[in-house]
Structures are given as C-alpha cells and as structure tokens.
Amino acid sequence: MKSNKTIWQEFCYDLVEARKGDILEEPYQNIVEMNLRQLGWSKVQGEICPKERINIGSHNQIEPDITIKIDDKPVFVIEMKRPRNTITPRQEQQLLSYMRLQKTTVGLYIGDNIKMYYDTNEDLPLMVWQIEIDLDAEGGAEFVDFFLHDTFNKQRIENYCKAKANDLKTTEIMSAFQQSLSINMDATIKQVLTDYFVEFKKCNKNLVDEVLHSLSFTIQLTPSSDSQSLKSMPSVASSGMVVSQTSKDKRKRDLTKYSLDGGKSYYGKGRFVREVVARFIEHNPNLTFEQLSQVFAGHLQGSYGVIRSVDSIEKSSHDKKDLRSRYVMSEDLMLQSIDGVKFVVCNQWGAYNFVNILNLLEKWGWNIIADKK
C-alpha cells in the first residue's frame, strides 16, 4: 500500500514539470484533472466536473474551473491558474463566488502553489492552509489525507477550516490589540472597557464614558509574567494594570490624516472611514446593505459598528442627539445601498479600532498615505 507521501509525489510530479515551462491554464488544468484520478476521484462517475455551467438569473452563466462532487453534491471547488500565477484578491473573490454558488465552504486554488480557502462570510475567503508544489514539500502527506477520495470527509475538513479560521482571527485581533496598545495604551483600554460594559453588560453609554473619562490606564510587567509576545512589544508589557484618577487625559491626541487618492485629499480617521466605505461602494455598486454590513462588520469599530441605517438611528431608544453625534450625519455625506437603504458611517475611531480598517485596506491592496504633520 502506497504511503501518503508517495501519493503526493505522484500527484504533483507533472505539476512540477509544468511549472518549468509555465504552460497555459487549460493544459495545466488537464494535468490536475488527471492527477485527481490518482487520488481516487472519478470523472466517469461524475465526481470530477470541469467547467460545469451554473445559471445566474435568466441570461448569465458562470463555469467554475473544477467542481468535486460526492453523490452529485458539490463538496469543494478548484480555481485554476497558470503555474506561475500568484493569486490576487480579485481571483480570491472569484473563487469565493464559485464556492457560494456551489454551496461549499471549502475551495482550492492551484497555480504557483496550492491553497485551501474557507468561507467566513466576509468579502474574501480566508486562506487556512497552503503547500508548495514540490515533491518533498512539507505537508504533502497531509494534503493527501485531506483530499484522497477514500479518506475524504467533508465535515472533518470543514471542522479543521473553522478551527484554523478561529485561530487566525484570534491572532489577528490580538496582534492589532498589541499594536494599538503600543500606539495609545490609555485610549485602547478605555475602548475595550467601553465595548465590554455597553455591549455585554448593557450599561448606559453616557455613564460609562463619564466614568472612564475620569480614569487613566497604564500596563506594566509583573514579576510573574512570562508572555514572550508581550515582552517583545516596544512599549507594552503584560499584565498588571495600574489605574489612576485624573481630570483630563494628558496623552497627546493622534491627529494623523489619511489619503485614498494619492495625497490629493486628506481626512481625519472618522471622515476617512466614510471615504473608504464610499469608494468601496463605487467599486461594488450592487451590494445590499446587509452585504455591506458583512464587509464592514461591526466588530471592526466596536459598540457603534462601522455603518448604521439612518432609520435605525431615528428609531433608537437611546439619546438621539448623542447617537447622531457618533456618525457622519451630514446629508451630503450619507450613503445608500442598492436596495435603497440610506445609511451613515461611524466617526468614533481611535488607535484601538482604526488599525482594523488599516488592516482591511492592506488586505484589499489599497494604497494609503498617512500625513502625521
């Protein structure tokens, strides 16, 4: 019986050779289809389905490069590119559209390497696993364990992807939190506490703000702390908290302005985020408000969310004057989604949560210029 490593080497041998000549996508896909049979998948039995047409509406059709099925039900899709192609966000979006149309949460990209993606209900799929196309690649046996027909288990792969996605998201959030602490420790801690008391304890926002405004926070390393990740931070350690009473926050406010248009126009954080949302809509005009709410998820900002419908603000039981002050409410700066929902963008941004927007834009490949004058 062949080992998983041997099966991997047989699977990728022709792919390695194809990379040397950077052949076109179609013959590269033909090799992949042939090698999927080495993993036990059958074209005759309808398990390997290349270029299967999917109707979108009454006039449009799309064709995922390869759909893999069991009992005529899609279990994952494959996005093929040339062997020297490096995947782009647009290609990731294309893979995600195929995954959603085929109702699968897992997709593969095969080009310059092999990547496994998971649908986390955001605008791009999350890359949870990858391997180089090399005979001796670390993880080759694991790839076979994932995708060998005889051992394939859709639920097991989805569980793996879900756990991996949670680990990656946790790492991303904690990294952003550490970065934010290093920029403005006091504001970061206050934002975390505000979110906790308002979101989870359902406290009155105005009273929470009043109490926290009278406090300042610092973090210092305790003798028992052995957290290497926090020790390595330039100005932040863990995890003994010192709270002192103050009548005014003495830390210098970050007045950095940001530009989306190559330096022609600069905005403070609150207005800048509004411009980000507006530009995203220009590039993606057919998204509903619900879809936009998934892209600009509430956790990116905190207790107020990134976007909110004007109607929900007007119907809110909270102090409307205070609530309206938390959003860019100028009539000419309000936005509207394809389904007719008029909405506004939150202006409550500090070091703690603004880094989430910067990370999102970096993920999209947008060019941002910061002016700290």
Side-chain angles (χ1 to χ4, degrees):
M1 184 176 180
K2 294 179 180 178
S3 68
N4 281 359
K5 181 177 180 180
T6 299
I7 296 173
W8 162 255
Q9 291 176 334
E10 292 179 349
F11 174 83
C12 75
Y13 180 84
D14 291 329
L15 302 182
V16 172
E17 294 300 308
R19 290 188 67 190
K20 296 178 181 178
D22 191 27
I23 64 174
L24 296 176
E25 182 179 316
E26 184 175 350
Y28 195 46
Q29 175 169 329
N30 291 337
I31 294 173
V32 170
E33 291 176 24
M34 178 181 66
N35 291 356
L36 284 168
R37 297 175 203 172
Q38 294 185 24
L39 295 178
W41 299 97
S42 171
K43 206 168 188 178
V44 173
Q45 296 179 20
E47 295 174 332
I48 303 173
C49 306
K51 303 296 183 182
E52 183 178 58
R53 291 185 178 180
I54 304 173
N55 293 322
I56 303 177
S58 57
H59 301 291
N60 298 320
Q61 293 180 328
I62 65 168
E63 298 178 343
D65 291 326
I66 303 174
T67 302
I68 302 298
K69 296 183 177 182
I70 293 180
D71 297 330
D72 204 36
K73 296 181 179 179
V75 289
F76 65 92
V77 296
I78 302 176
E79 171 72 0
M80 291 296 312
K81 293 299 175 186
R82 292 178 65 163
R84 293 184 185 175
N85 176 81
T86 300
I87 194 166
T88 65
R90 183 176 294 275
Q91 291 167 356
E92 289 178 329
Q93 286 179 327
Q94 186 176 40
L95 172 59
L96 181 61
S97 68
Y98 295 156
M99 292 162 60
R100 289 178 175 173
L101 286 168
Q102 293 288 47
K103 296 181 172 59
T104 68
T105 59
V106 178
L108 285 182
Y109 157 80
I110 302 180
D112 59 331
N113 57 14
I114 299 176
K115 290 180 167 70
M116 180 161 61
Y117 285 88
Y118 181 62
D119 184 0
T120 57
N121 294 317
E122 297 187 18
D123 59 307
L124 288 176
L126 182 65
M127 195 274 291
V128 295
W129 188 88
Q130 66 178 325
I131 186 172
E132 296 302 317
I133 298 175
D134 185 274
L135 296 178
D136 298 315
E138 184 178 352
E142 187 177 25
F143 173 85
V144 174
D145 184 53
F146 280 140
F147 297 106
L148 188 69
H149 182 276
D150 291 346
T151 59
F152 182 83
N153 185 302
K154 181 183 177 184
Q155 190 61 55
R156 179 170 72 98
I157 289 184
E158 289 181 347
N159 289 343
Y160 170 88
C161 290
K162 186 176 182 179
K164 190 69 174 179
N166 184 60
D167 290 346
L168 292 171
K169 191 65 177 178
T170 299
T171 300
E172 178 184 352
I173 291 173
M174 295 313 299
S175 176
F177 177 65
Q178 290 178 332
Q179 181 181 349
S180 181
L181 282 172
S182 69
I183 295 172
N184 192 328
M185 185 186 306
D186 187 77
T188 298
I189 296 171
K190 286 179 177 177
Q191 184 64 55
V192 171
L193 292 174
T194 297
D195 292 344
Y196 172 75
F197 285 115
V198 174
E199 290 293 312
F200 296 101
K201 293 298 185 179
K202 305 302 180 185
C203 296
N204 181 285
K205 177 71 168 57
N206 292 333
L207 294 178
V208 171
D209 286 343
E210 183 179 341
V211 172
L212 293 181
H213 185 71
S214 68
L215 304 173
S216 66
F217 299 88
T218 59
I219 296 177
Q220 63 185 23
L221 184 65
T222 61
S224 60
S225 175
D226 58 358
S227 172
Q228 294 300 317
S229 61
L230 289 178
K231 283 181 181 178
S232 63
M233 292 177 57
S235 60
V236 180
S238 176
S239 66
M241 183 178 295
V242 178
V243 183
S244 59
Q245 196 77 19
T246 180
S247 59
K248 186 177 182 180
D249 185 358
K250 297 180 180 179
R251 292 183 175 270
K252 185 177 180 180
R253 187 181 177 190
D254 179 15
L255 299 177
T256 303
K257 293 188 175 181
Y258 299 85
S259 174
L260 277 173
D261 56 9
K264 295 178 182 178
S265 304
Y266 284 88
Y267 302 98
K269 295 181 183 67
R271 176 64 187 278
F272 176 79
V273 176
R274 186 268 172 198
E275 298 305 312
V276 167
V277 177
R279 175 166 292 196
F280 184 86
I281 294 174
E282 288 179 11
H283 295 168
N284 304 273
N286 295 320
L287 296 182
T288 65
F289 179 73
E290 181 179 356
Q291 290 171 320
L292 288 169
S293 297
Q294 292 176 356
V295 174
F296 297 100
H299 72 267
L300 296 175
Q301 192 282 327
S303 57
Y304 293 108
V306 181
I307 61 176
R308 184 164 180 170
S309 70
V310 174
D311 186 58
S312 73
I313 292 176
E314 298 304 328
K315 293 180 179 179
S316 174
S317 59
H318 289 87
D319 182 343
K320 287 187 177 58
K321 182 177 180 181
D322 175 73
L323 192 58
R324 289 173 63 89
S325 72
R326 310 290 181 173
Y327 295 88
V328 181
M329 294 295 297
S330 300
E331 188 71 29
D332 59 329
L333 296 178
M334 291 182 180
L335 300 169
Q336 186 166 309
S337 57
I338 189 66
D339 53 341
V341 177
K342 183 179 288 188
F343 66 94
V344 289
V345 180
C346 183
N347 59 20
Q348 300 296 293
W349 299 94
Y352 165 70
N353 53 8
F354 187 69
V355 68
N356 296 330
I357 296 297
L358 295 181
N359 289 339
L360 185 65
L361 299 185
E362 182 180 5
K363 184 178 179 181
W364 291 347
W366 287 22
N367 183 35
I368 307 302
I369 299 176
D371 183 3
K372 297 185 178 182
K373 295 180 180 180

